Amino acid sequence: MSLFSSIDHAHMQRALVLAERGRFTTKPNPVVGCVLAHGERVVGEGFHQRAGEAHAEVHALEAAGADAKSATAYVTLEPCGKTGRTPPCADALICAGVSRVVVACEDAHQHDGGAVERMREAGIVVEHGLMRAAAREANIGFFSRVERGRPFVRVKLATSIDGRTALANGDSKWISCEASRHDVARWRARSGAILTGSGTVRADNPQMTVRMDDDACFEPPLRVVLDTGLAIPADSIIVNGEAPTLLVHDEDARVPSHFRQQERLGLPAVKGRVDLAALMNELAKRGINEVQVEAGATLAGALFDAELADELLLYQAPTLLGDAARPLLAGIDIHDMRERVDLDLLEVRQIGSDLRLRLRPRPPIFDDGDTFGEWLDGPDTEVDAYYAALGRKPGAVGYDDQDRYVRVRKDGSHEILSDPDLLNRERDDDPDSDRRG
C-alpha cells in the first residue's frame, strides 16, 4: 500500500515539470523543482535556474511568503544541508515553518550535511521515495557522475533505413531532415560536453555548437575533440573560439605550435587510441554530467565496445544508401548470437520525415527463463548460480558479495553502479520492499 496520496503524486509531478525548466542552465548542478501546498492548494512553486543561484526550495518559499507556514514541500531531490555557493535549503524550510517535506529521491552527497536529521529534529515530517524513478531519470547524468565517477554518455547517430551513416567516401550531409537537426540542438544544449573525433572534423569541419530555434537560454557545452596525434587542420571551425573547446590527445604526442595556446588534455594511449574510460573520468572531474557523442562509426563503435555508451539517440531517415556505405557502428566483433548487444527501446517519435529512437543497452536479467548451465559449471544453489553468473558474464548487473550494485565489464572486473548505503536507504524507504535490516 502506497504511503502517498493522489494529491501527493499530482504535486510531485508538477515539481518534476518545473525542474525541467532548468534543463539547459543548471549544469553542473542537477535540475530540481519544488511545490509548496496546503492540501490541493498550491501556495508556491520554484525551480533551480542556474548553478550558484538560489535553489528550487528558496524560489518556492519566496513565492509562498507567509503561506509557507505549515505547508507541505514537494521536492524532486533531497534538500541540501551544507553551505556551498548558497545557504542550506534545509534551514530555509525549517525557518519558514513547513510541516512536511516529501522528497522524490535522495542525494547521497548531501547526507553528511545532516539536512534530513535537522528537519526532523525541528518537527518536520520527512518522507522519501515518491516518484523516485522519474526523479532519478531527470538527473541521470548527475547521478552517473557522482555515483559512477563518469558522465552519462549518449551516442547520437543519423542513419538511413538500411543502417548506414555515410557514403563510402565519408559524405553524410545530410541524412537526417532539418527538423531532426533542430531537435539535436536541444539534446546538445542539455549536455555538458559534445564529443567528436578527428575523422569527423576533417571530413565535415563541423561547428558543434548549439543553435536553438527559439530564445531558450543555455550554457554552451564543452566541445571535446578526440585527436590522438593532434593532426586536425589549424583552421578547423571547431577551434575558432566560438565555444569552449578541449583537444584530447596522446600524452606523448608532439604539440604543433598552432595548438599550444589551445586547451588540451593529454591521456595515455591504449593500442594507438586515447583511453576512453580515462577520458570519461577526466570529464567527470570537470563537472560534466552528460556527454553527447556526435562522431562516425569508429568512435561510436569503440564506446559501445568499451561499455561506455549509456544511450543511443538514433535518427532514422526514410532513405537508402546501399551496402557500400559506412555502417552504424564499427569495430564490434560478434561471432555468436549470445554475444549480441540487446537494447531497450525507450521511445520512438516522428521528427519531420525521420524517426527518432532512444535506446539503452539492456543488461542480462537472471530469472527462471535463463539457463545458467550455458556458461556455468553447475553451482549447487540458485544463489551460488546467481553470484557465479554475475562474476563471469559481461554486462550482468546485480549485487556482489559486498552488497554493491555492480555491472560486470568484459575483463571480468566490476563497475560499481551505486553506493550500498544509498541502496539500503532506498530499500528501507520502499514500502513494498521485503528486505528488513
Side-chain angles (χ1 to χ4, degrees):
M1 179 176 168
S2 174
L3 297 174
F4 303 107
S5 68
S6 59
I7 293 174
D8 291 334
H9 279 84
H11 289 321
M12 188 62 79
Q13 178 61 50
R14 175 60 181 168
L16 288 166
V17 170
L18 289 168
E20 285 300 317
R21 293 185 182 179
R23 175 60 65 192
F24 302 149
T25 56
T26 64
K27 298 171 291 191
N29 288 0
V31 296
V32 183
C34 178
V35 170
L36 288 168
H38 289 279
E40 294 184 2
R41 183 170 67 95
V42 174
V43 296
E45 294 183 339
F47 66 96
H48 183 39
Q49 298 175 16
R50 289 187 181 276
E53 297 182 3
H55 291 184
E57 299 93 322
V58 172
H59 285 298
L61 289 170
E62 289 177 349
D67 283 339
K69 186 172 180 61
S70 301
T72 295
Y74 298 88
V75 192
T76 58
L77 189 65
E78 182 177 329
C80 61
K82 298 180 288 186
T83 299
R85 287 189 280 181
T86 59
C89 291
D91 293 350
L93 291 166
I94 292 169
C95 290
V98 302
S99 62
R100 178 177 175 235
V101 174
V102 180
V103 177
C105 68
E106 302 83 352
D107 180 358
H109 287 249
Q110 292 294 342
H111 289 154
D112 57 356
V116 172
E117 291 78 7
R118 290 209 303 277
M119 288 189 291
R120 284 176 173 159
E121 288 171 0
I124 299 174
V125 175
V126 181
E127 297 170 300
H128 293 85
L130 175 59
M131 304 182 74
R132 178 186 284 124
R136 283 188 64 88
E137 178 69 25
N139 283 304
I140 195 167
F142 171 77
F143 283 116
S144 178
R145 175 170 64 85
V146 300
E147 294 178 0
R148 298 194 295 176
R150 70 169 181 84
F152 183 86
V153 178
R154 181 178 293 108
V155 178
K156 172 262 170 184
L157 289 167
T159 178
S160 61
I161 202 75
D162 53 346
R164 303 294 168 166
T165 57
L167 297 178
N169 63 6
D171 185 14
S172 62
K173 291 186 177 179
W174 296 100
I175 293 174
S176 59
C177 68
E178 185 176 359
S180 289
R181 297 195 293 277
H182 284 301
D183 188 65
V184 168
R186 304 191 76 82
W187 290 94
R188 286 181 178 180
R190 67 174 282 163
S191 303
I194 303 170
L195 173 63
T196 193
S198 58
T200 297
V201 173
R202 287 193 296 268
D204 299 338
N205 197 19
Q207 288 181 292
M208 294 290 178
T209 53
V210 177
R211 297 177 296 281
M212 304 287 269
D213 56 2
D214 56 23
D215 295 328
C217 295
F218 63 90
E219 291 294 323
L222 175 68
R223 299 182 295 188
V224 181
V225 182
L226 200 57
D227 186 10
T228 305
L230 289 170
I232 63 171
D235 60 353
S236 299
I237 294 175
I238 204 165
V239 290
N240 63 5
E242 184 179 348
T245 305
L246 176 68
L247 297 183
V248 181
H249 57 88
D250 182 345
E251 61 186 1
D252 296 326
R254 184 185 68 83
V255 180
S257 59
H258 52 268
F259 286 145
R260 286 177 186 162
Q261 301 304 313
Q262 176 67 48
E263 186 178 9
R264 293 174 284 104
L265 174 64
L267 292 173
V270 178
K271 296 181 180 179
R273 295 181 179 177
V274 169
D275 186 333
L276 293 174
L279 170 59
M280 295 307 163
N281 291 337
E282 288 295 329
L283 292 178
K285 291 176 184 177
R286 292 170 179 251
I288 303 297
N289 293 330
E290 295 185 15
V291 172
Q292 178 146 310
V293 181
E294 299 192 24
T298 300
L299 178 53
L303 287 162
F304 271 92
D305 191 54
E307 299 176 351
L308 292 170
D310 297 304
E311 184 170 291
L312 177 61
L313 183 65
L314 188 67
Y315 294 84
Q316 190 171 48
T319 188
L320 299 170
L321 295 182
D323 61 0
R326 296 185 181 183
L328 188 69
L329 302 171
I332 298 180
D333 195 18
I334 295 176
H335 300 285
D336 189 305
M337 283 298 288
R338 290 173 296 182
E339 299 172 347
R340 70 185 185 269
V341 180
D342 291 324
L343 305 173
D344 284 324
L345 181 60
L346 305 181
E347 177 190 45
V348 180
R349 179 175 296 184
Q350 184 161 357
I351 307 290
S353 59
D354 300 338
L355 288 181
R356 187 190 75 193
L357 293 80
R358 288 177 55 229
L359 309 103
R360 290 180 187 167
R362 179 189 305 163
I365 297 173
F366 300 106
D367 57 26
D368 294 338
D370 279 333
T371 305
F372 292 113
E374 289 184 3
W375 30 268
L376 296 175
D377 295 326
D380 294 331
T381 68
E382 182 177 328
V383 172
D384 288 340
Y386 176 80
Y387 282 114
L390 181 59
R392 293 174 55 178
K393 188 176 179 72
V397 173
Y399 298 99
D400 67 5
D401 55 2
Q402 298 179 50
D403 201 29
R404 299 174 302 186
Y405 195 51
V406 300
R407 177 186 289 120
V408 181
R409 299 189 180 98
K410 287 188 175 181
D411 63 3
S413 62
H414 288 180
E415 175 190 10
I416 299 174
L417 297 181
S418 212
D419 177 78
D421 291 336
L422 178 59
L423 286 166
N424 288 334
R425 278 189 293 272
E426 289 182 358
R427 294 187 196 115
D428 292 340
D429 292 333
D430 183 357
D432 297 322
S433 174
D434 60 359
R435 179 170 178 139
R436 298 288 181 265

